[in-house]
Amino acid sequence: KNLENTAEKCEEDKMTKDNQIRTLREEIAHQEELIAKMQKEKKSVGDGRQKTEEEIQSLEDRCNHLSKVKSKLEQSLDECEDALEREKKSKGDVEKLKRKVEG
């Protein structure tokens, strides 16, 4: 009878251990799914970050280009204003000479 009790106890222990193993395997599978999901999200975030950095670089390049264009336009404007002032002065000088000759 003692041997039967020991055998029965061993069988119960085996069933308990089997249940624990099954539960742990299920937990491992669940954790592996979570890890795979997180790795996928990490890759997606990394791709998004790279795209954003490329967009920032593109916008910085465009900003630099537009700054150069603006600078050239300002220089052209200054040159045009100077030419206009010289033209006005020349016209004024011509008008003075004309009055002098006529008067």
Side-chain angles (χ1 to χ4, degrees), residues 4 6 9 15 19 27 38 42-43 55 67 74 82 95:
E4 285 178 17
T6 303
K9 188 170 173 31
M15 287 172 55
N19 285 335
E27 181 61 25
M38 295 298 246
K42 180 182 173 186
K43 184 183 184 317
E55 289 173 356
S67 292
E74 288 172 338
D82 291 346
E95 291 294 325

Side-chain angles (χ1 to χ4, degrees), residues 8 11 13 16-18 21-22 28-31 45-46 54 65 69-70 77 81 86 89 94 98 101:
E8 198 174 295
E11 188 61 32
D13 285 348
T16 300
K17 298 288 186 216
D18 286 343
I21 289 170
R22 186 174 53 257
I28 288 170
H30 177 68
Q31 292 299 324
V45 168
E54 288 169 0
H65 170 71
V69 169
K70 177 186 173 204
L77 177 62
E81 288 173 340
R86 286 193 302 275
K89 185 179 182 317
V94 168
K98 194 174 174 185
V101 168

Side-chain angles (χ1 to χ4, degrees), residues 17-86:
K17 298 288 186 216
D18 286 343
N19 285 335
Q20 289 174 344
I21 289 170
R22 186 174 53 257
T23 301
L24 290 171
R25 283 187 177 147
E26 289 171 359
E27 181 61 25
I28 288 170
H30 177 68
Q31 292 299 324
E32 286 172 346
E33 287 174 14
L34 290 177
I35 289 169
K37 183 179 177 186
M38 295 298 246
Q39 286 172 336
K40 191 174 181 182
E41 285 181 28
K42 180 182 173 186
K43 184 183 184 317
S44 176
V45 168
D47 292 346
R49 179 179 175 194
Q50 182 178 354
K51 184 178 178 188
T52 300
E53 288 172 353
E54 288 169 0
E55 289 173 356
I56 289 170
Q57 184 61 52
S58 174
L59 291 171
E60 285 177 352
D61 292 347
R62 180 152 171 73
C63 185
N64 290 337
H65 170 71
L66 291 174
S67 292
K68 288 177 185 174
V69 169
K70 177 186 173 204
S71 180
K72 287 178 182 176
L73 289 172
E74 288 172 338
Q75 183 180 352
S76 294
L77 177 62
D78 288 344
E79 291 169 2
C80 288
E81 288 173 340
D82 291 346
L84 178 62
E85 288 302 314
R86 286 193 302 275

